[in-house]
């Protein structure tokens, strides 16, 4: 689908916001996702295949959305503030019911809540309500799509290409410039402080040799703010940006990559079911993400449970 950038929530003042080309023609509720803000492009599916999401006591299927060629444009049906994909009924929603700047958007199936698991009726109701609220959108006359509970936000794209999993050996893989220094810093931290905590001494800048002059940077500077019932699922999106904005990190004994300036949050892959295309972010340790990595001799980083994959970007190196 000629994917360009992930579909995310941005400020309504953002230069990266999206505007639909023709969304309300002759009173019809069905319309193409083609964009007037990005001529030749539209909202498209990233993979074209739904993946299972299971965490806590809820489950559903999702496919991430992005901006890609208008030839792959989705057709939406808009009714009662819900935007559904005409071809399969998937609903536009935010990731993990989180309605805040920088959060990715996706197509989502119906949410199933297992009432037999250890959760109270009140917690289950809050989860259900939060997921419904995260799927309600209003569309302004100029084609801007905003969450009804956060009209100051709208659909847009990240300022930088996203960090995500790619096949090992891909031209898009991220090769770190100072990996040997990182590993030495890890050994030093363990010798000095032991194994009992996330150490963030001797951080190393995440500069890249694969993309000269570039590094791993935050795509937004504020943490996402999930609903109270999911308050442990905070994070910051990461991307490819100028090296002067690159984050610094260190490696602990559990092979977690801990960021020095992000509240001790760690590098993680969204969803434990690891596959190419999964977003890689900075997040609080939780039961939904994968945090353990292996550090390869060529300067790449792989998930410990999937060494055929590495972290990379939506653009190739030079």
């Amino acid at each position: 689908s000629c994917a360009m950038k992930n579909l995310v929530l941005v400020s309504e003042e953002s230069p990266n916001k999206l505007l639909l080309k023709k969304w309300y023609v002759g009173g019809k509720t069905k319309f193409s996702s083609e964009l007037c803000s990005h001529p030749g492009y539209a909202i498209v599916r990233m993979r074209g295949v739904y993946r299972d999401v299971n965490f806590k006591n809820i489950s559903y299927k999702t496919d991430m959305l992005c901006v890609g060629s208008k030839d792959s444009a989705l057709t939406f049906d808009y009714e009662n503030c819900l935007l559904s994909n005409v071809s399969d009924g998937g609903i536009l929603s935010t990731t993990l019911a989180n309605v805040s700047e920088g959060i990715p958007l996706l197509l989502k199936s119906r949410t199933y809540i297992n009432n037999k698991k250890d959760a109270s009726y009140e917690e289950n109701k809050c989860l259900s309500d939060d997921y419904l609220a995260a799927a309600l959108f209003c569309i302004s006359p100029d084609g801007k799509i905003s969450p009804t509970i956060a009209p100051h936000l709208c659909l847009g794209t990240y300022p930088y290409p996203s960090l995500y999993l790619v096949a090992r050996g891909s031209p898009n893989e991220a090769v770190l410039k100072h990996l040997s220094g990182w590993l030495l810093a890890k050994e030093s931290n363990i010798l000095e402080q032991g194994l009992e905590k996330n150490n963030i001494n001797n951080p190393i800048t995440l500069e890249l040799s694969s993309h000269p002059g570039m590094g791993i940077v935050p795509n937004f500077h504020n943490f996402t703010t999930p609903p109270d019932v999911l308050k442990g699922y905070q994070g910051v999106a990461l991307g490819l940006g100028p090296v002067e904005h690159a984050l610094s990190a260190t490696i602990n004994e559990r092979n977690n990559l801990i960021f020095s300036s992000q509240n001790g949050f760690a590098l993680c892959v969204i969803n434990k079911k690891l596959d190419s295309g999964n977003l890689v972010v900075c997040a609080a340790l939780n039961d939904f993400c994968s945090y353990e990595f292996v550090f390869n001799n060529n300067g790449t980083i792989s998930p410990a449970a999937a060494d055929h994959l590495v972290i990379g970007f939506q653009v190739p190196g030079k």
Side-chain angles (χ1 to χ4, degrees), residues 30-66:
K30 292 181 174 63
F31 56 88
S32 167
S33 64
E34 188 176 350
L35 302 167
C36 65
S37 54
H38 297 65
Y41 289 92
I43 297 170
V44 305
R45 293 176 64 171
M46 179 163 280
R47 291 190 178 110
V49 177
Y50 282 97
R51 305 293 171 90
D52 291 322
V53 173
N54 300 284
F55 82 111
K56 284 184 163 295
N57 58 328
I58 62 179
S59 61
Y60 49 89
K61 296 179 182 292
T62 69
D63 190 16
M64 302 300 293
L65 295 174
C66 61

Side-chain angles (χ1 to χ4, degrees), residues 77-308:
D77 190 6
Y78 185 53
E79 187 174 1
N80 297 325
C81 297
L82 290 171
L83 281 159
S84 58
N85 182 23
V86 167
S87 67
D88 60 19
I91 299 294
L92 178 70
S93 186
T94 66
T95 301
L96 296 181
N98 192 330
V99 183
S100 54
E101 189 176 18
I103 206 72
L105 288 111
L106 40 78
L107 284 180
K108 187 177 75 66
S109 69
R110 177 182 175 185
T111 302
Y112 293 92
I113 299 179
N114 186 348
N115 293 312
K116 295 180 180 178
K117 287 195 174 182
D118 295 332
S120 67
Y121 169 81
E122 290 76 15
E123 183 177 353
N124 284 339
K125 187 176 187 309
C126 284
L127 270 173
S128 179
D129 290 347
D130 289 334
Y131 268 91
L132 175 59
L136 300 178
F137 294 89
C138 53
I139 308 177
S140 65
D142 64 356
K144 179 181 66 179
I145 305 175
S146 299
T148 58
I149 62 173
H152 63 289
L153 301 176
C154 64
L155 271 58
T157 61
Y158 288 131
Y160 300 119
S162 298
L163 187 66
Y164 70 145
L165 291 182
V166 301
R168 194 166 180 172
S170 164
N172 295 42
E173 66 185 9
V175 181
L176 292 158
K177 192 172 183 178
H178 305 297
L179 186 59
S180 60
W182 256 3
L183 297 175
L184 288 172
K186 172 190 173 183
E187 292 179 11
S188 173
N189 282 342
I190 291 173
L191 286 172
E192 291 175 9
Q193 301 186 30
L195 305 178
E196 71 280 357
K197 61 181 180 179
N198 287 342
N199 300 315
I200 54 174
N201 284 358
N202 308 316
I204 304 294
T205 302
L206 303 182
E207 185 176 357
L208 299 162
S209 60
S210 55
H211 299 70
M214 310 294 274
I216 295 175
V217 304
N219 250 320
F220 287 95
H221 290 284
N222 295 323
F223 292 109
T224 57
T225 51
D228 288 343
V229 72
L230 298 171
K231 61 185 177 182
Y233 297 85
Q234 284 183 296
V236 173
L238 301 174
L240 172 70
V243 68
E244 57 266 28
H245 300 315
L247 294 167
S248 296
T250 191
I251 303 166
N252 71 6
E253 73 285 351
R254 293 184 293 275
N255 280 342
N256 304 136
L257 195 154
I258 307 298
F259 293 95
S260 58
S261 61
Q262 303 291 328
N263 289 354
F265 283 12
L267 186 76
C268 73
V269 183
I270 294 179
N271 202 338
K272 290 183 179 293
K273 294 185 177 180
L274 301 170
D275 203 353
S276 58
N278 283 24
L279 282 173
V280 180
V281 302
C282 164
L285 296 173
N286 60 57
D287 58 357
F288 181 64
C289 298
S290 299
Y291 294 89
E292 290 190 6
F293 294 89
V294 293
F295 303 91
N296 304 313
N297 292 335
N298 66 346
T300 59
I301 299 178
S302 297
D307 63 2
H308 63 290

